[in-house]
Amino acid sequence: MSAYSKEKRSYSSGPQKTFLGQTKAAWYIYWICGVASIANIFQGFDGGIYSIILSDPRFIDYFNVAGARLGVVSSMINLGNVIGNLFVAWWFIWYTGRRMAFALGTIILLVGVALQAGAVAFAMIVVGRIISGIGTAIIGTNLAAYQAEVSPPSIRGRVVSFVQLSYQIGVLISYCVGLGTVNIAGENSWRTATALQCVPGVILILASFTIPESPRWLLERHPGKPERALRQLSRLRLLPENHPEVQTEFVDMVAARQYRVEHQGDLSWWTFLSQYAVWKRLAYGMATMALGQISGVGALMIYGVLIFQSLGFSSGTMSLLLNVVSGVLCLLATLITTGGVDKWGRRITLLAGSSLMVLSYIIISALSDAFPADSNPNRAASIVQVIFIFIIEMAYSGALGPTAWIYASEIFPTHLRDKGVNISQAAQQTTTLWINQAWPVMFDTVGHNAYWILVGINTLGFLMVLFFWPETKGISLEHMDKIFGEVDQVEAYRGEHHLENREAVHAILEKATGHHLEDVSSRSEPAEDI
């Protein structure tokens, strides 16, 4: 008799108890993914604190930061992200595991922070920013992949949106910290603000040892020990290993992997980059990631204080307070998406964010034409422009930002997820690098007409999503193939090996926990479905 025909532990076959509409298992996923999200608090703090540092005359004077140098400081972390995504992050994540990648990526990031906080030359700032970018590439993409792999489809969008939510928390914390550190005398102001990033970094290193490993990563990296993946999946779902829900999910994981091994083999980099099906998903992942940043929102955030000052809010404290208001609004917008993206879906969220951006940029552009800040300033017009800058930032934080991470983390199969998410984010960071570097020069050249350029860019993004983007809401990671017109590997494997009955499923589970993943065929006539 199969070992799985007997119960190892008792369980209730009825519905699980809920608290605030969520099961205990769902709350556990929220908890471990919330702990892992400290990774992006780290990154959000960096992005937010440098919007303040770049407006600090003491930093500007110390390193003679102006014009192109301003763009270099703001964009070098994005260059580090691109380097990390393409050449470093996927290697760390794939070979060391999701848990260890958090700790190792954070150590690299802390090295970059130390260089920036102790910098005595402009080159140290540049190198420190690049190293920090490599570190954030590792922990950021690892976070999205980890959250997607441990979450059930019903709450996956909500959980992966923690990436953006934690980023906004980090931004808001940095804005509040900036209000305090700006009053510190001399160069210690920006040095202290930079060094405070070490706090979430140390917390993340410690927290990474308290969360479970991804069962999907375990199955891919250690196929000879599938019982480890099953055990971890059982732990994540807070159900016994022999529970039907755990068994069904595990068999799907095994079937998807086995079908790939039988029909495709392990993909080399050349095979990875030569398959149309892979490029198709890469195109969606890269475009979705780039869509939010090409909107210009990153530049609005990092140059926010300078933009507010150019609109007549010349008081340093007032500009910083406006930054704090922006941080609070963006956090609220992200919370709304976190609660609803699994209900209304990915496409409608992207379309809503893009349309809000287009409308906001049109209004800002029109007001800038009618009331140029340098020749015909108007206080009411400036206030309205600030409001719509807030709306653009909220549209990104509540729509384009979190949905990009959700989309990129769920459209790739497990064995490609590391590479896919990293390449997708490389597109995001390349776009951010370009926008942040070009922003000061662009406004020096064409002035406020740059806003009209952004109207066109965001309109194009809206149309792309409207006509080409498929919906992925509620689809299991192992069944995502069919969304992109490919063979559903789980269903194909079940069909080839007749996995319609309990005995066949029990056989694959028994062989899995017996250190084998050989092909399993049904040895009996079909009985009842699992």
Side-chain angles (χ1 to χ4, degrees):
M1 179 178 290
S2 170
Y4 276 86
S5 62
K6 296 181 179 179
E7 292 187 347
K8 295 181 179 179
R9 284 182 281 172
S10 62
Y11 57 82
S12 172
S13 60
Q16 296 186 49
K17 294 181 180 179
T18 62
F19 175 70
L20 297 178
Q22 300 292 312
T23 65
K24 184 179 178 181
W27 281 112
Y28 179 59
I29 296 296
Y30 295 149
W31 165 252
I32 62 174
C33 290
V35 170
S37 293
I38 297 171
N40 245 32
I41 291 179
F42 208 173
Q43 189 169 358
F45 187 96
D46 179 271
I49 206 65
Y50 259 85
S51 72
I52 296 169
I53 290 173
L54 289 176
S55 65
D56 189 337
R58 292 161 293 188
F59 179 83
I60 300 297
D61 294 340
Y62 191 92
F63 293 109
N64 189 29
V65 177
R69 273 198 166 196
L70 184 66
V72 168
V73 175
S74 65
S75 61
M76 282 303 98
I77 193 167
N78 306 120
L79 176 59
N81 286 152
V82 174
I83 294 171
N85 286 135
L86 294 179
F87 306 109
V88 181
W90 70 267
W91 188 92
F92 266 86
I93 298 168
W94 180 247
Y95 287 104
T96 67
R98 311 297 191 210
R99 295 173 60 196
M100 189 58 66
F102 284 125
L104 295 175
T106 302
I107 291 171
I108 293 173
L109 204 161
L110 288 174
V111 171
V113 168
L115 277 173
Q116 295 171 72
V120 294
F122 184 70
M124 292 180 69
I125 290 291
V126 173
V127 173
R129 298 285 284 164
I130 292 174
I131 293 175
S132 291
I134 293 173
T136 56
I138 295 171
I139 61 178
T141 53
N142 185 51
L143 175 61
Y146 177 80
Q147 291 177 331
E149 289 180 359
V150 302
S151 307
S154 59
I155 62 170
R156 188 175 61 237
R158 184 178 305 158
V159 168
V160 179
S161 67
F162 283 8
V163 176
Q164 187 67 34
L165 181 64
S166 55
Y167 181 89
Q168 294 305 146
I169 291 173
V171 169
L172 180 58
I173 291 172
S174 71
Y175 288 164
C176 296
V177 166
L179 280 173
T181 57
V182 75
N183 296 316
I184 299 175
E187 65 189 58
N188 286 330
S189 172
W190 57 268
R191 291 189 191 279
T192 302
T194 302
L196 284 173
Q197 293 177 76
C198 294
V199 176
V202 172
I203 295 173
L204 177 58
I205 291 175
L206 297 175
S208 64
F209 295 100
T210 68
I211 59 178
E213 184 55 86
S214 160
R216 288 174 169 84
W217 179 84
L218 283 171
L219 185 62
E220 286 292 337
R221 289 294 295 140
H222 304 286
K225 298 180 179 179
E227 74 281 357
R228 294 176 60 185
L230 179 59
R231 186 164 56 246
Q232 209 67 299
L233 182 64
S234 170
R235 177 184 173 187
L236 285 167
R237 301 295 176 255
L238 299 183
L239 294 169
E241 294 176 14
N242 62 329
H243 192 283
E245 291 182 21
V246 174
Q247 291 187 0
T248 298
E249 187 172 357
F250 180 72
V251 170
D252 278 1
M253 290 163 52
V254 173
R257 183 183 183 280
Q258 284 298 98
Y259 183 88
R260 188 193 81 241
V261 170
E262 291 177 10
H263 294 270
Q264 301 172 2
D266 290 327
L267 294 184
S268 65
W269 265 105
W270 171 248
T271 308
F272 173 75
L273 295 175
S274 63
Q275 289 193 352
Y276 170 74
V278 175
W279 274 106
K280 183 178 181 180
R281 298 198 201 198
L282 282 175
Y284 277 110
M286 294 170 70
T288 309
M289 280 286 197
L291 186 63
Q293 291 303 321
I294 206 170
S295 68
V297 70
L300 288 179
M301 289 180 173
I302 201 163
Y303 298 120
V305 175
L306 297 177
I307 292 171
F308 297 147
Q309 289 175 352
S310 72
L311 290 172
F313 300 95
S314 55
S315 165
T317 302
M318 176 58 73
S319 296
L320 290 173
L321 284 172
L322 288 174
N323 248 12
V324 173
V325 172
S326 168
V328 172
L329 293 175
C330 288
L331 179 59
L332 292 174
T334 311
L335 283 169
I336 292 172
T337 299
T338 300
V341 70
D342 283 317
K343 297 178 182 178
W344 56 66
R346 288 40 161 165
R347 287 185 77 255
I348 192 66
T349 306
L350 288 171
L351 290 171
S354 291
S355 60
L356 275 174
M357 284 189 168
V358 171
L359 176 63
S360 300
Y361 273 124
I362 289 174
I363 294 173
I364 292 172
S365 301
L367 289 173
S368 297
D369 285 347
F371 305 102
D374 54 350
S375 59
N376 185 26
N378 181 283
R379 188 67 173 179
S382 295
I383 292 173
V384 173
Q385 287 181 73
V386 168
I387 290 172
F388 279 96
I389 286 174
F390 286 166
I391 292 175
I392 290 170
E393 293 175 350
M394 291 172 69
Y396 173 80
S397 302
L400 276 68
T403 308
W405 282 108
I406 296 168
Y407 212 75
S409 67
E410 65 187 5
I411 63 175
F412 296 100
T414 301
H415 68 295
L416 300 181
R417 188 164 294 113
D418 304 319
K419 297 180 181 70
V421 175
N422 276 283
I423 293 174
S424 297
Q425 204 207 8
Q428 180 194 56
Q429 296 303 333
T430 301
T431 306
T432 308
L433 172 65
W434 170 63
I435 289 287
N436 288 358
Q437 178 67 43
W439 187 274
V441 177
M442 182 168 62
F443 269 78
D444 287 345
T445 305
V446 300
H448 62 262
N449 287 321
Y451 288 124
W452 286 113
I453 297 174
L454 294 172
V455 170
I457 290 174
N458 284 278
T459 301
L460 179 61
F462 175 87
L463 294 175
M464 286 173 56
V465 175
L466 180 63
F467 290 110
F468 299 109
W469 259 237
E471 181 57 72
T472 57
K473 177 187 73 171
I475 306 297
S476 167
L477 294 178
E478 281 71 40
H479 291 275
M480 199 63 68
D481 300 317
K482 61 184 178 183
I483 299 298
F484 295 91
E486 302 167 28
V487 174
D488 186 318
Q489 297 186 358
V490 174
E491 294 303 321
Y493 186 81
R494 283 178 176 271
E496 288 180 1
H497 298 278
H498 310 293
L499 294 182
E500 298 94 354
N501 60 81
R502 286 190 183 278
E503 290 189 14
V505 171
H506 287 168
I508 198 171
L509 287 163
E510 189 170 70
K511 282 179 176 278
T513 55
H515 301 270
H516 298 286
L517 278 177
E518 297 94 353
D519 299 340
V520 178
S521 298
S522 175
R523 295 185 177 86
S524 61
E525 292 298 317
E528 57 182 321
D529 291 345
I530 185 172

